[in-house]
Amino acid sequence: MLLEVINLTVYYGTVQALNNISLFVNEGEIVALIGPNGSGKSTALNAICGVLRSLDGEIKSGKIVFMGETINGMLPHDLVKKGLCIVPEGRRIFPTMTILENLEMGGYIVNDKKTIKGTMEKVFHLFSVLKERRKQKAGTLSSGEQQMLAIGRALMLQPKLLLLDEPSLGLSPNYVEVVFEKTKEINKDGTSILLVEQNARMALEICHRGYVFKIGEIAFEDKAKNLLENDEVRKSFLGEI
């Protein structure tokens, strides 16, 4: 098991955001966290990647285990070194820097120039538009291209587990399809993925398993295929009647 979250409870001040949730990600999986806004999906992701404290959140109980080590309270830059990397909601690229410079920043902890060059070539192969425009300022890219860059920047760290927070948010339908297709390719290349996504149907169509969040708790968990066929999930969370 690559990641395990065990009985996790999280508060923001006096407000409970997560209530005793448990989930896991095996090596080689894509796992989706779906559910309505405010249900706790992103809070779970923020707790896992170590940024909860900077958002005035606090783990009250439970633990998070990554590659056999409890990582509660560990700082984000230390988690990155262990192979756990997030592509945050809203992309957060460096707009005044070029595509190439953004990717180089992504590999800042990698000391081997040969490794950096090889990883960058893989990113350029995955996202050919980034190679074509590598000297272009990142802030001039479309939202879809910026999302590709944000994912590419994270891949420069060669993560063992890639966390994606709302990767389709604000993208045109064409780019949404591209991002989900590329997510499958990244997984097939050996990277495990934990995905938070509002587009529940598309997320479940590419993932192996899913967790459905509802008001800080996990309402359903199952293989993606079973969740797609679950009448209550389809009615309540996929917008089907």
Side-chain angles (χ1 to χ4, degrees), residues 55 64 79 97 101 149 158 160 208 220 235 237 241:
L55 300 171
I64 305 166
L79 293 173
M97 298 170 65
E101 289 167 339
L149 177 57
Q158 299 181 327
K160 294 180 175 65
H208 300 93
F220 300 93
K235 181 178 179 180
F237 301 99
I241 298 175

Side-chain angles (χ1 to χ4, degrees), residues 32 34 199-207 210 224 227-228 233 238:
I34 63 172
N199 193 329
R201 172 162 289 282
M202 288 196 74
L204 290 175
E205 285 175 351
I206 70 162
C207 75
L227 290 174
L228 283 168
V233 171
L238 301 182

Side-chain angles (χ1 to χ4, degrees), residues 21-221:
I21 69 157
S22 296
L23 59 90
F24 66 92
V25 180
N26 289 318
E27 286 192 34
E29 282 190 317
I30 303 176
V31 175
L33 310 183
I34 63 172
N37 284 330
S39 59
K41 309 182 303 295
S42 290
T43 294
L45 217 61
N46 290 332
I48 291 166
C49 71
V51 302
L52 195 62
R53 192 182 309 168
S54 65
L55 300 171
D56 297 323
E58 181 182 6
I59 295 175
K60 290 290 188 179
S61 61
K63 65 179 180 177
I64 305 166
V65 181
F66 180 60
M67 297 180 64
E69 178 182 0
T70 300
I71 59 173
N72 290 43
M74 199 170 288
L75 295 173
H77 63 269
D78 290 325
L79 293 173
V80 166
K81 293 175 183 177
K82 292 182 178 297
L84 195 156
C85 188
I86 187 170
V87 178
E89 180 183 336
R91 298 172 284 278
R92 301 184 194 176
I93 56 160
F94 302 107
T96 61
M97 298 170 65
T98 66
I99 287 172
L100 187 61
E101 289 167 339
N102 269 267
L103 293 177
E104 289 172 341
M105 285 294 292
Y108 75 100
I109 64 170
V110 182
N111 295 319
D112 185 359
K113 290 184 178 180
K114 186 177 180 181
T115 298
I116 292 174
K117 183 179 179 181
T119 306
M120 191 174 294
E121 284 304 314
K122 287 183 178 180
V123 171
F124 283 151
H125 179 73
L126 184 68
F127 300 116
S128 59
V129 67
L130 298 183
K131 185 173 185 178
E132 295 165 6
R133 304 184 185 182
R134 59 188 178 277
K135 295 183 180 180
Q136 186 173 329
K137 298 289 186 184
T140 66
L141 300 173
S142 70
S143 57
E145 291 163 347
Q146 288 183 14
Q147 186 63 64
M148 293 178 193
L149 177 57
I151 295 171
R153 183 178 61 186
L155 292 176
M156 290 296 297
L157 293 162
Q158 299 181 327
K160 294 180 175 65
L161 178 61
L162 181 64
L163 309 179
L164 298 177
D165 194 1
E166 303 285 8
S168 76
L169 186 67
L171 305 189
S172 68
N174 287 342
Y175 275 119
V176 169
E177 289 187 15
V178 170
V179 165
F180 278 109
E181 282 301 316
K182 296 302 181 181
T183 298
K184 287 196 296 184
E185 287 184 42
I186 292 165
N187 178 248
K188 286 179 181 177
D189 197 40
T191 303
S192 304
I193 296 171
L194 180 60
L195 167 72
V196 164
E197 181 53 56
Q198 278 293 311
N199 193 329
R201 172 162 289 282
M202 288 196 74
L204 290 175
E205 285 175 351
I206 70 162
C207 75
H208 300 93
R209 294 185 301 106
Y211 295 86
V212 182
F213 279 63
K214 184 178 181 181
I215 319 175
E217 298 183 346
I218 294 175
F220 300 93
E221 58 178 288

